[in-house]
Amino acid sequence: MDVGGTSVRAGVVDEHGSILDTARAGTPGAESALEDAITGVIDELRNRHSGLGDRGEVGAVGLAVAGFIANDRRTVMFAPHLAWRHAPVADRISKRVGLPVTLEHDANAAAVGEHRFGAARGAGVAALVAIGTGIGAGLLLDGELYRGANGVAPELGHLTVVPDGRACPCGKYGCWERYCSGTALAATAIELLARYPGSSTILARDIAIDPGALTGRRVAGAARDGDPIAQRAVAELAKWLGEGLALVADVFDPEVVVIAGGVSESAPLFLDEAREHYAAAVTGGRHRPLARIRTAQLGDDAALVGAAALALEARAV
């Protein structure tokens, strides 16, 4: 299951990473209602999936959650868009559905999904960078998830890339995700439009009609249509993606970096340029193997597949 701020998405996944069945519910705001929604989706899938011959019964549950997960993988310490605070979610859900439950950060789960079945398959050291509203990240060292001492690593989106730069909701300034995300793409376009007033571009016309219409997705669309302001904004995103990946490579030296998240759908606009910035910025770039930078193969299903794989492992222990 992928438990996000808007929806609870679930899939029945087999040991080969194939999704056999799916269900979805909205994400309620209250803690008890959220757990009701999760158990309701689990029950729905179990009922639909039971008696389906050699595909077997549902045997375990993996929950991918956008938040801090304790290293015991039983407790949600904090989730900015969900109601849980230091909540023993795995035990509560397990008691209600009668199945073993494993928790994981959603980006970690996506990294596992891509490592087992997707773009990072077989890599010893792999990083996943999920670029959407912000940046989520997962890291595998020698094929194992790295969660840090307290289960909250790696918060790569909050590396400082511009001292005293744009304010971030985390409380810091100049975080990577403020310059490399869907939100950042829109912010950069707004700054460029202010720098060049009177521009008769697609984005300028959009803002004149509806000032709230400018989103990262709209900027990417305008860039594809040839808008020069949008193309400059995308070039800025490419620059900061490459710069940030160089920092990641300086510390972890990954074999593969997987670019995931909603912004990755527009990768043809920026990924080649980002690779060039990365190669120029990484320490000793001319004298070392460079990470392969790929887009995710599993798309929105990566966290579902990864959570299922982790649940299956935990059940086998």
Side-chain angles (χ1 to χ4, degrees), residues 130-214:
I131 308 175
T133 303
I135 289 180
L139 178 67
L140 294 111
L141 304 179
D142 296 327
E144 299 294 328
L145 276 174
Y146 177 74
R147 300 182 179 88
N150 301 297
V152 301
E155 284 291 337
L156 300 182
H158 298 288
L159 293 172
T160 299
V161 295
V162 181
D164 301 319
R166 293 173 181 165
C168 182
C170 77
K172 294 164 58 177
Y173 291 86
C175 291
W176 188 20
E177 68 175 43
R178 292 301 91 194
Y179 295 86
C180 182
S181 64
T183 306
L185 191 56
T188 299
I190 289 170
E191 289 179 358
L192 289 169
L193 286 166
R195 193 181 306 169
Y196 302 103
S199 301
S200 58
T201 66
I202 297 169
L203 295 184
R205 291 194 295 272
D206 283 353
I207 285 186
I209 296 169
D210 181 2
L214 199 59

Side-chain angles (χ1 to χ4, degrees), residues 224-244:
R224 279 190 289 269
D225 291 337
D227 184 298
I229 294 291
Q231 289 175 338
R232 288 189 64 172
V234 169
E236 280 290 302
L237 183 141
K239 170 192 168 184
W240 289 114
L241 177 56
E243 294 280 348

